[in-house]
Amino acid sequence: MIDWDKKFKTEYDAARAAIVKNSDYERGWQPLVRKLETLMGASGFDAAQEPALGELRKKVTEGPSKTQITEDKGILQAAGGWTDANTGTVSAAVKKRAASLKLLRHIYLQNKSGNRKVWVLSLPTDFTDWPTRYLDANANTVTRVKQLLASNNEHFSDQQRRYLGNSTQQALAWCQKAGIVLADAAAGGTGANPGRDNARALVKRWFAEAGLDDATVNTYITTLTQGFKKIIAMLNKGHFVVTDWVPFRGTTDADEAGFLASEAFTFSSNGEGMDVVYIESSFFTDDPGGVVHGQANWTRIIVHELTHLVCGTDDVNNGQDRYAWYGIGPHAGYPGSDCIRNADNWAFFAADCGGALSDSARSMALKEI
């Protein structure tokens, strides 16, 4: 059974609790740790304090007189637990302090300009649980602690981190364009208004079966407008984090393996208490049966997950899970009342508003099955 208590937020809170006790760190590290404390707000990272992470990545390999040292030595010196010996154990308190620095060492802020900010955690693949838990349970010797703290085989490549940043930036642009379309669709008046009519047609394309009454369409426009406004506001806060669910790495549990093999997932309606999307092994896999590919698909996944996270959408099962590859065109057998709850309808509507769909991709997604 999956332990859903192993959320990123739990590890974030554990690291923050250790960092707050900055006087427990080695004296020369305390000024930087105080900056890291400011970085770690109650609801997420503060982008204004991001330079502290650059200082951290530099300082963990910088010994006396600017000599180079290994990261495990730098982190353990900071935590007050370095020893030249490779025998014995490391205290639980030292491991907690070291784990907090190891977590932050692999946090990156992508897309620093304006409000386009996403934090990416790229924890080394040697970890199969969050640092606090893994060091506590799987690092019972000095040697093992050093091995883990020195590890640098990050889960996401530099290029993949850039793709994730670009996807979030593009997701924001799609959602903003969806907001413009929805504002046009909601425009009042009884005279001719081609902009309004075209916008309403776009909404109906993804959310209304033939013959659905205008009053119901209006409720869908209101729901969509409120939802995309929430997504835009959340992204503009600059707290959004993407990571993989580290405890799934290397799992032999069938349920966990299913999530590990997915594209991504999140907790609906801010159920984690922090804005986090988990990127899994199929995210960067180009599925030949998919509707869109490459950057457009990565952005589609991000928007899909953001609608779960912020708007409480579902992955509707209407005889079949309603993903675009199966067919999400509204009709009597898959009515608007299902479409308006379905995350892939929201994501493809946003992509359509953003001009990201080819005619063939749109037709494929709008299959009526």
Side-chain angles (χ1 to χ4, degrees), residues 22-336:
N22 43 68
S23 61
D24 291 342
Y25 290 81
E26 190 273 328
R27 182 179 297 275
W29 272 80
Q30 290 176 18
L32 176 54
V33 176
R34 284 193 289 271
K35 293 180 184 178
L36 296 172
E37 179 185 356
T38 303
L39 169 78
M40 301 186 77
S43 57
F45 297 107
D46 181 352
Q49 306 303 321
E50 184 271 342
L53 294 176
E55 290 185 47
L56 171 62
R57 283 188 272 274
K58 180 180 178 182
K59 193 170 177 62
V60 292
T61 59
E62 189 175 86
S65 303
K66 309 298 183 183
T67 57
Q68 287 293 111
I69 59 175
T70 57
E71 289 194 17
D72 58 314
K73 184 172 184 177
I75 292 174
L76 282 171
Q77 284 179 338
W82 173 256
T83 172
D84 289 325
N86 289 320
T87 58
T89 60
V90 178
S91 73
V94 167
K95 285 197 282 188
K96 285 180 181 179
R97 292 194 289 273
S100 69
L101 296 178
K102 187 61 176 172
L103 179 79
L104 294 173
R105 157 69 181 87
H106 297 284
I107 286 280
Y108 301 90
L109 178 60
Q110 303 291 135
N111 295 346
K112 299 180 185 180
S113 61
N115 290 323
R116 300 188 301 273
K117 299 180 181 71
V118 57
W119 301 88
V120 179
L121 172 61
S122 188
L123 196 67
T125 56
D126 291 341
F127 286 81
T128 55
D129 205 340
W130 305 113
T132 298
R133 301 171 74 110
Y134 199 68
L135 285 171
D136 180 62
N138 298 281
N140 298 319
T141 65
V142 169
T143 297
R144 183 59 177 149
V145 170
K146 289 181 178 181
Q147 287 174 341
L148 288 168
L149 295 179
S151 63
N152 201 30
N153 49 339
E154 293 186 322
H155 182 75
F156 298 116
S157 68
D158 290 348
Q159 184 64 68
Q160 287 174 332
R161 286 197 285 109
R162 286 193 289 273
Y163 288 150
L164 290 168
N166 292 341
S167 297
T168 304
Q169 177 180 342
Q170 192 172 58
L172 177 58
W174 286 7
C175 291
Q176 289 169 331
K177 290 178 180 178
I180 293 170
V181 169
L182 291 164
D184 288 342
T190 56
N193 186 335
R196 178 189 60 202
D197 294 344
N198 290 338
R200 291 180 72 86
L202 186 50
V203 172
K204 291 179 181 180
R205 176 184 292 168
W206 296 101
F207 297 102
E209 70 273 26
L212 188 66
D213 61 276
D214 283 345
T216 302
V217 173
N218 289 340
T219 67
Y220 293 170
I221 291 170
T222 299
T223 297
L224 291 162
T225 299
Q226 293 172 345
F228 281 110
K229 282 182 178 179
K230 289 179 182 178
I231 293 172
I232 292 166
M234 185 277 283
L235 290 175
N236 282 341
K237 287 191 301 184
H239 293 164
F240 181 46
V241 175
V242 295
T243 177
D244 68 312
W245 184 280
V246 176
F248 285 164
R249 296 177 180 179
T251 186
T252 57
D253 178 88
D255 290 336
E256 291 184 345
F259 279 93
L260 180 65
S262 69
E263 293 176 328
F265 66 92
T266 190
F267 290 88
S268 182
S269 300
N270 302 104
E272 182 164 353
M274 195 171 179
D275 301 324
V276 184
V277 166
Y278 298 93
I279 303 299
E280 298 304 336
S281 61
S282 293
F283 185 91
F284 290 111
T285 300
D286 190 9
D287 183 355
V291 177
V292 290
H293 303 277
Q295 186 67 62
N297 189 47
W298 305 330
T299 303
R300 188 273 308 172
I301 296 169
I302 293 293
V303 175
H304 176 116
E305 297 302 330
L306 289 175
T307 71
H308 287 323
L309 175 67
V310 178
C311 309
T313 61
D314 299 317
D315 291 324
V316 171
N317 186 306
N318 178 294
Q320 169 73 37
D321 287 336
R322 286 291 177 166
Y323 296 104
W325 58 265
Y326 177 76
I328 56 174
H331 62 287
Y334 177 54

